[in-house]
Amino acid sequence: MTSDTEVLTRVEGAVGRITLNRPQALHALTTNMIGLITGALLAWRHDPAIGLVLIDHAGERGFCAGGDIRMLAESGAGDGAKAREFFFDEYRLNTLLHDYPKPLVAIMDGITMGGGVGLSRPCRYRVATERTTFAMPETGIGLFPDVGGGWYLSRMPGHIGLWLALTGARIKAADCELTGIATDYVESARLPDLKAAIVARPADVEGLLAEFEGDAGRPAIAQHQDEIARLFAGDSVEAIVAALAATDSDWAREQLAILRTKSPQTLKVAFRQLRLGRAMKIFADNMALEYRIGARVVRRHDFQEGVRAVIVDKDNAPKWDPPTLEGVTEAMLDGIFAPLASAEAWTPLP
């Protein structure tokens, strides 16, 4: 077993175990954590003694709340070097997970947001519990739904992924199963027994998940699927806003009010990101695109202001620039999405 204050890795039988161990920060990822996880996965990738990898977290407060946002903002306020290093390494980890040759099991018990989505969504088996809360809330801090959001969210049916990306909506376990974010539901009280069973019989993981499967209940968003499919089908963020404004329903008015609190720049970045991501055939190409966006967005006003308003001062009153969707020009977006010089571009692990 190797131990670090932030991540625990060990081998139990034929199972590689990775446990996030930063509970005071809801296991928000640091560059060090990403390196430790990547190192373990690389060591086990071609090891014939390892048949499966299980990813979970210590404590009960949540799986992973995201990334080290304060560090990203502080770096972005300067030269952005540490932020770019974080994104570079994190996206390599996301891609390693996506392409991993062995079964991966993620236990999404509790908060699963941002970077936690990047860890769990590529896994073959994704277990939610009654404590699971999923969200990609980046539009509220001027960032964007990265870690593969352009790939996964864009492939959800009926524009649900776009709705999640733009609004930052928080959903529970039943909704996670409905959308494919989770593959299984297990009550949190049964997780210790499930983990022990997987360690004892990793080759029978599918049967074990079926054995431990519980009832997550009715998905809350099921009643709004038709509205999401219709109202988020527009060919621009402005068209979506107009459709919501023209709809006489409490739900539509609520979505419109939410969108009006978000960074206009980020709304348009996310919209273009998902449209481009859906057309891509290779996951690594999507991550190269997201790296270009991330390297630039962390140094822009809206991310700095979003972190100030939501995380630092906590006044929840960000002053976005531009303040309106109309102010976010195609030229501005072209600059954010433009290719990087070859020496600066992202590449996957060999």
Side-chain angles (χ1 to χ4, degrees):
M1 173 169 156
T2 59
S3 174
D4 185 277
T5 56
E6 295 185 328
V7 177
L8 306 175
T9 64
R10 69 274 194 202
V11 173
E12 297 179 357
V15 176
R17 297 288 306 272
I18 296 173
T19 299
L20 308 182
N21 190 37
R22 196 175 174 231
Q24 74 281 5
L26 288 175
H27 309 289
L29 296 175
T30 64
T31 303
N32 178 55
M33 292 173 73
I34 291 166
L36 292 165
I37 298 167
T38 300
L41 289 169
L42 289 175
W44 299 332
R45 181 167 55 174
H46 301 303
D47 185 345
I50 304 298
L52 176 148
V53 176
L54 177 61
I55 306 173
D56 62 1
H57 70 279
E60 298 181 353
R61 296 187 61 209
F63 175 65
C64 177
D68 190 348
I69 296 298
R70 285 179 180 265
M71 180 279 290
L72 293 174
E74 290 170 2
S75 175
D79 63 6
K82 288 186 177 180
R84 290 192 297 275
E85 177 189 13
F86 177 89
F87 286 138
F88 196 95
D89 293 348
E90 184 180 28
Y91 296 176
R92 280 189 156 187
L93 172 57
N94 300 148
T95 307
L96 175 63
L97 288 163
H98 181 272
D99 297 336
Y100 208 65
K102 298 179 179 182
L104 301 168
V105 181
I107 308 296
M108 301 160 47
D109 181 30
I111 292 173
T112 304
M113 299 183 183
V117 178
L119 284 182
S120 58
R121 185 57 187 81
C123 296
R124 185 182 305 179
Y125 306 104
R126 305 177 295 278
V127 181
T129 76
E130 77 281 359
R131 301 190 293 208
T132 298
T133 298
F134 168 98
M136 294 294 279
E138 290 82 2
T139 55
I141 57 169
L143 199 54
F144 69 106
D146 65 335
V147 295
W151 181 273
Y152 297 115
L153 296 175
S154 68
R155 285 163 172 75
M156 289 184 185
H159 306 295
I160 289 177
L162 181 60
W163 168 68
L164 289 169
L166 297 183
T167 65
R170 298 187 177 201
I171 61 174
K172 302 297 287 180
D175 291 320
C176 288
E177 284 198 298
L178 174 69
T179 57
I181 293 164
T183 59
D184 299 273
Y185 173 83
V186 176
E187 293 176 5
S188 60
R190 303 194 70 193
L191 289 178
D193 289 341
L194 171 64
K195 294 175 190 178
I198 291 174
V199 168
R201 297 158 50 198
D204 191 27
V205 61
E206 289 194 16
L208 291 170
L209 288 169
E211 178 183 329
F212 280 82
E213 183 76 28
D215 181 5
R218 179 170 171 76
I221 62 173
Q223 62 185 311
H224 300 298
Q225 277 184 276
D226 290 345
E227 285 181 285
I228 292 170
R230 183 177 75 256
L231 298 175
F232 282 78
D235 60 2
S236 68
V237 180
E238 289 92 336
I240 292 169
V241 167
L244 289 167
T247 301
D248 184 18
S249 78
D250 290 341
W251 185 86
R253 283 187 285 271
E254 180 183 353
Q255 306 315 300
L256 183 59
I258 290 169
L259 290 182
R260 285 174 172 163
T261 70
K262 307 302 184 183
S263 157
Q265 169 195 284
T266 303
L267 292 175
K268 286 198 169 183
V269 165
F271 185 90
R272 184 186 285 202
Q273 171 203 358
L274 265 63
R275 178 160 287 191
L276 293 174
R278 182 175 178 80
M280 290 182 172
K281 306 298 184 185
I282 300 172
F283 184 79
D285 291 344
N286 176 81
M287 299 316 299
L289 170 69
E290 293 189 6
Y291 181 75
R292 301 203 303 260
I293 302 169
R296 294 182 172 110
V297 164
V298 291
R299 303 193 67 191
R300 295 185 66 86
H301 168 273
D302 275 15
F303 179 56
Q304 299 296 318
E305 175 63 5
V307 172
R308 180 208 65 76
V310 176
I311 296 173
V312 179
D313 296 341
K314 298 182 179 178
D315 59 21
N316 292 306
K319 294 179 172 57
W320 305 122
D321 183 22
T324 65
L325 290 170
E326 292 72 24
V328 183
T329 65
E330 290 302 304
M332 184 184 300
L333 294 172
D334 289 344
I336 292 172
F337 281 77
L340 295 165
S342 58
E344 300 172 354
W346 179 87
T347 56
L349 287 163

